[in-house]
Amino acid sequence: MESNARRFINAYNTIDYAIRVQHNFKRSMSFSDLIRKAVPLNYLVRKYEDDLIDFGRLRNAIIHGGNDDFVIAEPHIDVVEKIEKIAEAIKTPPKALDVICHKDVLCAQNDIKLIDIIELISTSEFSNIPIYKDGGLIGVANGQRIIDEIGKAIERKENVDDYINNTTVEQIINPETTAKYYEVVNLNATIEEVLNLFYSNRKLIAILITKTGSLKEIPLGIVTASDVIIMNNILDNY
């Protein structure tokens, strides 16, 4: 049976190696610098930053002269189990497509009228519907943003019935401005990567998962901002 110290060191080395490989950091960088540099890039490192810094200090306290084979102290089992859990999550975080994303993605074409997309959102209970034109994604129809556009029409004194019956969803989607509200990733995207996208862009509404991450592919799944709490819980119990 491995000692607590050996288990701790193995988990520590796993974290150190995984972060360096994932972000192409130099081997010469110290562990504490490694963690601080990875914070803006890696959701899990950011989540466990204080713990990881403490683990770095503890590692230096339980071994002598930087030699992993010369152990001078034994960490508590609770600490060992915690670092092992974090190491596993950082090394092999679960794929979003496997554990969180909604796989029954409802899509619509660019020429659908607002009244029909509103009905679709209402009857399907999906508030984010990817919109395609000529086989490519041009944006995501979001329930709240549609309401905002109707509100603007009211401010312009337009007839609401005429507006929603004669306006297509494409007319309220500007690919250049709406791109900031969604992302497309490939099927291997992990929960950590998806969470980092939501962290990096607070305006992000949805992340579509396709085979290769191409805008020309039909989505295999979708993750929305409302899933962030669920993803956190999954990582906490992973």
Side-chain angles (χ1 to χ4, degrees):
M1 181 179 296
E2 286 187 317
S3 68
N4 286 354
R6 175 50 52 195
R7 288 173 59 185
F8 178 92
I9 292 168
N10 288 342
Y12 173 93
N13 289 339
T14 294
I15 293 170
D16 182 270
Y17 178 78
I19 295 173
R20 291 181 196 277
V21 170
Q22 290 171 14
H23 302 291
N24 197 29
F25 290 157
K26 296 179 180 179
R27 291 178 59 86
S28 59
M29 189 182 300
S30 69
F31 185 78
S32 58
D33 288 343
L34 177 82
I35 297 304
R36 293 189 178 97
K37 191 171 181 179
V39 164
L41 307 174
N42 189 303
Y43 176 84
L44 285 168
V45 173
R46 184 163 57 253
K47 180 182 178 71
Y48 296 112
E49 178 184 6
D50 292 341
D51 290 317
L52 291 169
I53 294 296
D54 287 343
F55 291 152
R57 296 191 184 103
L58 181 56
R59 182 258 186 186
N60 293 333
I62 66 175
I63 65 173
H64 180 69
N67 185 347
D68 286 357
D69 294 323
F70 197 166
V71 175
I72 60 175
E74 288 284 330
H76 193 278
I77 186 60
D78 290 346
V79 174
V80 173
E81 290 176 347
K82 186 170 187 177
I83 192 175
E84 287 178 335
K85 178 180 178 180
I86 294 174
E88 183 64 23
I90 290 177
K91 181 182 73 171
T92 55
K95 294 180 181 179
L97 190 62
D98 293 337
V99 296
I100 182 60
C101 80
H102 310 282
K103 297 180 180 179
D104 46 347
V105 185
L106 185 62
C107 302
Q109 292 300 309
N110 61 295
D111 57 355
I112 187 173
K113 296 292 193 294
L114 286 188
I115 189 170
D116 296 319
I117 199 76
I118 291 169
E119 181 180 3
L120 198 57
I121 289 174
S122 175
T123 56
S124 69
E125 297 185 352
F126 292 127
S127 58
N128 297 285
I129 299 181
I131 304 299
Y132 283 79
K133 179 180 182 180
D134 300 327
L137 180 72
I138 63 169
V140 176
N142 171 264
Q144 182 58 55
R145 293 189 62 77
I146 291 174
I147 292 174
D148 292 343
E149 292 300 324
I150 294 174
K152 293 176 184 177
I154 293 173
E155 290 179 0
R156 296 191 298 266
K157 308 300 182 183
E158 293 187 41
N159 182 286
V160 174
D161 285 340
D162 289 343
Y163 180 74
I164 63 176
N165 278 285
N166 298 316
T167 304
T168 66
V169 70
E170 182 180 12
Q171 290 175 265
I172 68 167
I173 290 180
N174 183 330
E176 293 183 1
T177 58
T178 60
K180 61 187 175 184
Y181 297 109
Y182 67 87
E183 290 276 358
V184 182
V185 298
N186 66 47
L187 57 78
N188 292 315
T190 66
I191 283 185
E192 185 277 322
E193 292 169 330
V194 167
L195 280 169
N196 208 51
L197 288 173
F198 280 114
Y199 174 85
S200 301
N201 180 4
R202 301 293 183 172
K203 293 183 178 181
L204 197 60
I205 293 173
I207 296 174
L208 301 175
I209 300 175
T210 69
K211 184 177 181 180
T212 67
S214 169
L215 295 175
K216 292 292 185 180
E217 297 171 322
I218 297 299
L220 304 172
I222 185 170
V223 183
T224 65
S226 62
D227 296 317
V228 168
I229 294 177
I230 299 173
M231 288 187 284
N232 270 300
N233 289 336
I234 289 173
L235 289 178
D236 286 341
N237 296 288
Y238 183 59

